[in-house]
Amino acid sequence: MYAQFIKELIDLPDVLIQKVRKEEERWIFELSLPEQCPLCPVCLKRTIKMTGKKKQWMHGYAQRIGIFWVELPVERRRCGTCGMTFSTSDPGISPRSVATDAFQQWVAHSCIGTSIQAVARMLKLPYTTVERWFYTHAPSFLSNDIQPKAVCVDEFAFRKGHDYGVAIMDAETGEVYALEAGKNEEAIGRVLAPVSDSVQYVVSDLAPAMKKAIQGVCPEAKHVVDYFHVIQLFTEALDRCRKSFGKGNKKHGHVRYVCRLLTQRPEKLTEEERQTVREWQKESDSLQAVYQSLQHFRYVSKSQNERQAKRRLNAWVHRYLFCPCSAVRAIAKSLVKRTDEIISCMLSPYSNGKMEGTNNKIKLMKRRGYGYRNIQRFALRVRLETANILS
């Protein structure tokens, strides 16, 4: 039973366990290969054994004993036909490496969800060695078959205010497919190119570069504007109207000034102060107009089909396109330019909410790695963290 457990722990085919020994703090499993005669890799003829020696490889890790090693014979063989000389051992082990492929893949898999430095400290291995194994084997964990139905596209910051990038994510599974540096139309086109054949819905914000890139790379896909960014037009208009009240550079702000004008009798106010109060009335009317347009648009967004959505949106535009409030007119003009995207936003079940949450994950990965100088390695790390490989 003990030998069977060791065989399952070692997980190497066609090997025989000779014995187990301990050298200082290293546990070593001595294995023997079955009788074999490897063929020449050039002419595929029989070879002759020249010399033989034993070599050790790191092959596994256990919590109590640490890294355990396997010891296998390495033969130097020569082809009698073409004279080719080569080294041979178990097919799953490279004679020139210090660890088996299975151990390297396990180490690379352990780095997902944590830092490479933490794994290197746990295994007491050089950081550069663990890093090389990770970037060698980690790409094999990802699937190359990328055919999403709906994707989300959004920008994120490498350095706030300096360097930006664009990420594309599956709207259903939450897996990030690609990252590109920059946030212009060319960068968005590059990130959309791998999924342009299969994608049917593309969700993004109201940026003009997004619309141009989607129309150029995915002309047959429906462009869906995120509902949050549409409502953001109204909230920003409300902020602009509120900020218009904040006039005055006094020590205590304009609070005391406003309170005095509102509590005084009208006949005690000067003509200039009365004009100020009249302007406040106009601003309050603007606030009310923005609120009314927002509530009306929320009613419009509850449409059941495309025909009903177009009819309600056209009615909203005709009602507020010539509104006395300039902020409401600006919102109406923005929606007129994006009529098709707004209708898709009303009818589509997709949104950019997952992408906004993933942007926070990307920011945390960047901080955990203390920044990345290589965009390809950073993209690989983000893909591994969002691909649900650990589950």
Side-chain angles (χ1 to χ4, degrees):
M1 183 176 179
Y2 174 76
Q4 183 65 27
F5 170 74
I6 294 297
K7 287 182 180 180
E8 293 181 357
L9 182 66
I10 297 298
D11 193 22
L12 284 176
D14 301 326
V15 297
L16 298 174
I17 300 176
Q18 299 297 319
K19 64 178 181 178
V20 182
R21 71 178 191 273
K22 185 177 182 182
E23 294 181 357
E24 297 179 353
E25 296 182 356
R26 180 184 296 183
W27 286 90
I28 302 172
F29 295 87
E30 297 183 14
L31 310 177
S32 64
L33 293 173
E35 294 295 332
Q36 57 181 347
C37 182
L39 300 179
C40 176
V42 177
C43 61
L44 301 180
K45 301 294 184 180
R46 294 178 62 87
T47 58
I48 304 171
K49 179 180 177 181
M50 298 172 58
T51 59
K53 64 178 181 179
K54 291 186 177 181
K55 187 178 178 180
Q56 299 174 359
W57 292 269
M58 289 180 284
H59 185 66
Y61 176 82
Q63 188 173 2
R64 291 183 177 273
I65 66 175
I67 297 176
F68 60 85
W69 299 64
V70 294
E71 187 178 83
L72 282 168
V74 177
E75 299 178 352
R76 190 69 179 171
R77 305 187 73 90
R78 178 178 179 275
C79 178
T81 304
C82 64
M84 175 71 179
T85 58
F86 61 96
S87 299
T88 181
S89 182
D90 186 87
I93 302 176
S94 175
R96 297 186 178 183
S97 64
V98 297
T100 62
D101 290 342
F103 181 71
Q104 294 181 17
Q105 292 179 4
W106 177 82
V107 172
H109 198 278
S110 300
C111 294
I112 302 175
T114 184
S115 63
I116 298 177
Q117 187 176 16
V119 177
R121 287 177 178 175
M122 179 187 70
L123 301 177
K124 298 180 181 180
L125 293 175
Y127 174 85
T128 55
T129 301
V130 179
E131 182 186 34
R132 184 178 70 255
W133 292 349
F134 175 76
Y135 289 112
T136 300
H137 296 280
S140 62
F141 301 153
L142 298 170
S143 175
N144 295 324
D145 186 17
I146 302 176
Q147 294 182 348
K149 178 182 178 182
V151 294
C152 300
V153 185
D154 199 9
E155 62 183 35
F156 64 94
F158 288 112
R159 288 192 306 156
K160 193 73 173 180
H162 296 275
D163 300 329
Y164 288 86
V166 181
I168 181 173
M169 185 194 73
D170 194 325
E172 296 179 351
T173 63
E175 179 180 356
V176 176
Y177 290 136
L179 278 80
E180 288 288 341
K183 59 177 183 178
N184 53 11
E185 183 180 350
E186 290 76 12
I188 301 171
R190 290 195 303 269
V191 82
L192 283 172
V195 299
S196 59
D197 296 334
S198 62
V199 68
Q200 300 178 11
Y201 298 91
V202 181
V203 187
S204 71
D205 54 17
L206 293 169
M210 290 284 185
K211 181 177 180 179
K212 294 180 181 179
I214 293 170
Q215 290 177 348
V217 180
C218 309
E220 298 181 358
K222 288 187 177 181
H223 183 195
V224 180
V225 175
D226 186 43
Y227 186 75
F228 168 80
H229 291 90
V230 178
I231 299 300
Q232 193 177 28
L233 294 175
F234 295 88
T235 56
E236 290 177 352
L238 286 173
D239 290 338
R240 290 196 300 269
C241 292
R242 291 192 185 102
K243 288 178 182 178
S244 64
F245 285 103
K247 298 176 182 178
N249 297 318
K250 297 186 179 182
K251 181 178 179 181
H252 300 285
H254 66 288
V255 177
R256 292 185 178 180
Y257 180 66
V258 171
C259 293
R260 185 180 68 82
L261 294 186
L262 294 177
T263 54
Q264 284 283 358
R265 293 182 179 180
E267 57 270 14
K268 291 186 178 182
L269 298 177
T270 63
E271 186 61 31
E272 182 180 356
E273 292 173 344
R274 293 175 185 174
Q275 183 63 28
T276 302
V277 174
R278 295 191 191 99
E279 291 178 358
W280 290 348
Q281 181 64 34
K282 294 180 181 178
E283 296 294 342
S284 63
D285 293 341
S286 300
L287 283 172
Q288 187 176 5
V290 176
Y291 275 119
Q292 289 179 352
S293 62
L294 174 59
Q295 297 299 329
H296 192 192
F297 181 79
R298 285 177 175 170
Y299 169 75
V300 171
S301 62
K302 296 180 181 180
S303 304
Q304 301 296 327
N305 52 58
E306 185 174 358
R307 183 177 179 181
Q308 186 180 11
K310 286 184 178 180
R311 181 171 54 82
R312 288 185 175 182
L313 184 60
N314 290 332
W316 186 93
V317 169
H318 286 301
R319 181 174 180 177
Y320 292 103
L321 189 59
F322 302 100
C323 179
C325 178
S326 60
V328 176
R329 291 199 304 271
I331 296 173
K333 291 178 181 178
S334 299
L335 298 188
V336 167
K337 295 178 181 178
R338 303 174 176 86
T339 303
D340 296 336
E341 293 88 338
I342 298 299
I343 292 175
S344 299
C345 168
M346 298 176 185
L347 303 178
S348 174
Y350 301 107
S351 69
N352 227 14
K354 285 186 179 180
M355 190 71 231
E356 298 295 341
T358 304
N359 282 345
N360 187 37
K361 291 183 180 179
I362 293 174
K363 188 186 301 183
L364 294 177
M365 294 175 205
K366 179 191 65 177
R367 291 178 178 175
R368 189 175 64 199
Y370 296 98
Y372 284 81
R373 292 178 292 178
N374 192 319
I375 181 63
Q376 286 77 22
R377 290 189 171 184
F378 183 52
L380 175 63
R381 170 65 73 172
V382 172
R383 289 195 63 189
L384 289 170
E385 296 285 349
T386 58
N388 298 324
I389 296 176
L390 297 177
S391 58

